């Protein structure tokens, strides 16, 4: 049973870069057939897909965030990471990492989520 | 890509059935059979309940079912139980490796 765990600062200053890491355990991050994803949820709001990465490094981003997002993968440490630049209060959210089936487009495993607050 | 449209709330009494709709466009729900549904209890991560429109992962009760007609997908919860009270989100593939979510529906068991 694969498990995912987010880590990173819970507080980021406005205009700086938000950085989070997701550690995968109980399974291989290099498995064929899976993308590794970031999803966020603004307080009291719905889910927003941020982007995906394949273990080879191929990435796909939400067009609305693409100019500020970078997702990378470190297969040796079984981790993938999110960087979101030029953050504002609108980026305050719970950030989830998740595993997505590559060809069937659903998220079958999720991390517990981590709240990131952007302060001025 | 706009968010899929869900009703903000739904409710039913124990034992009853409730259906939650998820309306997209011909660019997402209407074209692809890659609609999934997630259950989220307060303070918890979402949990996959339905994938590929109407398939249930192992461990999800058969009280949960999914369907699709045109640009609208639906989640039906039959035989409502207290533990079904949660937020439910739909998601659809929108082509070009893009995913879109619905705004969520709060299901209340009366």
């Amino acid at each position: 049973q694969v498990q995912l765990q987010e880590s990173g600062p819970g507080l980021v200053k406005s205009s700086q870069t938000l950085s989070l890491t997701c550690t995968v355990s109980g399974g291989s991050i290099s498995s064929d057939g899976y993308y590794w994803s970031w999803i966020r949820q603004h307080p009291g709001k719905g889910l927003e897909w941020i982007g995906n990465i394949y273990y080879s490094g191929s990435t796909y981003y939400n067009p609305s965030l693409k100019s500020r997002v970078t997702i990378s993968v470190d297969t040796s440490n079984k981790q993938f990471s999110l960087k979101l630049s030029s953050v504002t209060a609108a980026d305050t959210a719970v950030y989830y990492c998740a595993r997505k089936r590559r060809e069937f487009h659903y998220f079958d495993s999720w991390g517990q989520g981590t709240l990131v607050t952007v302060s001025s | 890509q706009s968010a899929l449209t869900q009703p903000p709330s739904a409710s039913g009494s124990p034992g009853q059935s409730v259906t939650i709709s998820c309306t997209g466009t011909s660019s997402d729900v209407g074209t692809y059979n890659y609609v999934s549904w997630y259950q989220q209890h307060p303070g918890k991560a979402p949990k996959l309940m339905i994938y590929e429109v109407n398939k249930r992962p192992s461990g999800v009760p058969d009280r949960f079912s999914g369907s699709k007609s045109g640009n609208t997908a639906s989640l039906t919860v039959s035989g409502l139980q207290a533990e079904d009270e949660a937020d439910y989100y739909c998601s659809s593939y929108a082509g070009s490796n893009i995913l879109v979510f619905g705004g969520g529906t709060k299901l209340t068991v009366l």
Side-chain angles (χ1 to χ4, degrees), chain A residues 35 39 41 45-49 52 60-63 96 100 102-108 110-113, chain B residues 1 34 36 38 40 43-48 50-52 89 91 93 96-104:
Chain A
Y35 282 124
I39 296 154
Q41 185 170 33
K45 301 296 184 182
L47 300 168
E48 181 180 29
W49 171 71
N52 303 326
Y60 303 94
Y61 300 135
N62 186 324
Y96 293 99
K100 173 187 158 316
R102 177 182 173 195
E103 295 179 356
F104 307 107
H105 309 294
Y106 59 85
F107 304 97
D108 63 356
W110 296 66
Q112 65 184 26
Chain B
Q1 284 74 22
Y34 295 125
S36 50
Y38 303 87
Q40 186 180 37
K44 300 295 187 181
K47 173 188 175 184
L48 178 67
I50 295 288
Y51 65 98
E52 292 180 61
Y89 295 92
S91 175
Y93 182 61
S96 302
N97 279 290
I98 292 172
L99 276 293
V100 62
F101 282 100

Side-chain angles (χ1 to χ4, degrees), chain B:
Chain B
Q1 284 74 22
S2 301
L4 306 175
T5 300
Q6 297 182 235
S9 63
S11 63
S13 300
Q16 289 186 333
S17 294
V18 170
T19 297
I20 299 170
S21 62
C22 169
T23 301
T25 70
S26 57
S27 297
D28 38 61
V29 175
T31 293
Y32 302 101
N33 288 324
Y34 295 125
V35 176
S36 50
W37 289 89
Y38 303 87
Q39 176 191 65
Q40 186 180 37
H41 287 110
K44 300 295 187 181
K47 173 188 175 184
L48 178 67
M49 304 301 285
I50 295 288
Y51 65 98
E52 292 180 61
V53 177
N54 56 14
K55 298 180 181 179
R56 275 179 292 103
S58 174
V60 172
D62 59 6
R63 303 184 293 102
F64 291 85
S65 62
S67 62
K68 190 186 87 166
S69 177
N71 296 339
T72 299
S74 298
L75 173 71
T76 297
V77 186
S78 305
L80 269 175
Q81 299 183 4
E83 60 261 36
D84 300 332
E85 184 162 297
D87 294 327
Y88 291 83
Y89 295 92
C90 61
S91 175
S92 176
Y93 182 61
S96 302
N97 279 290
I98 292 172
L99 276 293
V100 62
F101 282 100
T105 298
K106 181 177 180 60
L107 175 61
T108 301
V109 180
L110 301 171

